[in-house]
């Protein structure tokens, strides 16, 4: 019985940069593109702002068969001048997507009796940050 061949990247193809910075409509995000396939924010009462939608494959470093298991996503800006950092450790690669429901403006002065359970009802005033995992990787998709 033969051993299956492991995927390899083409010779001379450099590894992708492990840090991506994107900005759209006053929002900025910094992240590891080996973890993120799409990243968007939906402002209250508006259409989603797509900050990142992967085009092409993320090229892994020489000898790597999978992306890093830890990732940091920094998110900032928008009308509320948000600033947050998410740290994700997914050693078994079980995360498909992460949705972060951000508090509405003025929440410190007028906190709700109980925060709503996700999904947050329309018109609740929150912004929603959505990170989808499972990017295209090279190898095998080069």
């Amino acid at each position: 019985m033969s051993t299956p061949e492991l995927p390899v990247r083409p010779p001379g193809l450099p590894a992708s940069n492990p840090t991506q910075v994107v900005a759209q409509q006053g929002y900025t995000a910094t992240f590891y593109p080996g973890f993120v396939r799409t990243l968007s924010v939906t402002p209250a009462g508006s259409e989603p702002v797509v900050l990142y939608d992967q085009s092409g494959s993320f090229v892994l470093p020489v000898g790597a068969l999978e992306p890093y298991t830890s990732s940091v996503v920094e998110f900032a800006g928008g009308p509320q001048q948000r600033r947050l950092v998410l740290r994700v450790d997914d050693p078994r690669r079980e995360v498909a997507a992460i949705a972060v429901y951000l508090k509405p403006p003025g929440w410190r002065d007028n906190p709700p009796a109980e925060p709503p359970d996700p999904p947050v009802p329309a018109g609740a005033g929150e912004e929603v940050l959505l990170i989808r995992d499972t990017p295209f990787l090279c190898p095998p998709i080069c």
Side-chain angles (χ1 to χ4, degrees):
M1 180 178 259
S2 66
T3 305
E5 274 190 45
L6 293 176
V8 295
R9 70 179 203 206
L13 185 61
S16 294
N17 188 331
T19 303
Q20 178 87 34
V21 179
V22 294
Q24 288 286 340
Q25 299 182 27
Y27 294 98
T28 302
T30 305
F31 56 92
Y32 171 56
F35 174 72
V36 176
R37 185 164 179 176
T38 64
L39 192 148
S40 64
V41 61
T42 303
S46 297
E47 293 297 312
V49 175
V50 178
L51 296 167
Y52 177 76
D53 189 359
Q54 183 184 19
S55 62
S57 291
F58 178 79
V59 181
L60 297 168
V62 171
L65 297 176
E66 294 185 334
Y68 303 145
T69 59
S70 295
S71 184
V72 173
V73 177
E74 296 180 34
F75 175 74
Q80 306 306 317
Q81 290 302 300
R82 305 289 188 180
R83 172 82 177 105
L84 61 107
V85 178
L86 301 172
R87 296 182 200 316
V88 179
D89 188 19
D90 185 18
R92 292 177 33 183
R93 294 174 177 38
E94 298 174 296
V95 173
I98 298 170
V100 179
Y101 295 83
L102 299 166
K103 294 176 181 176
W107 68 271
R108 285 188 177 98
D109 300 328
N110 189 19
E114 276 193 42
D117 291 326
V120 175
E126 286 84 356
E127 291 171 291
V128 180
L129 175 64
L130 181 61
I131 304 162
R132 293 184 192 273
D133 189 7
T134 320
F136 300 112
L137 302 172
C138 170
I141 304 168
C142 299

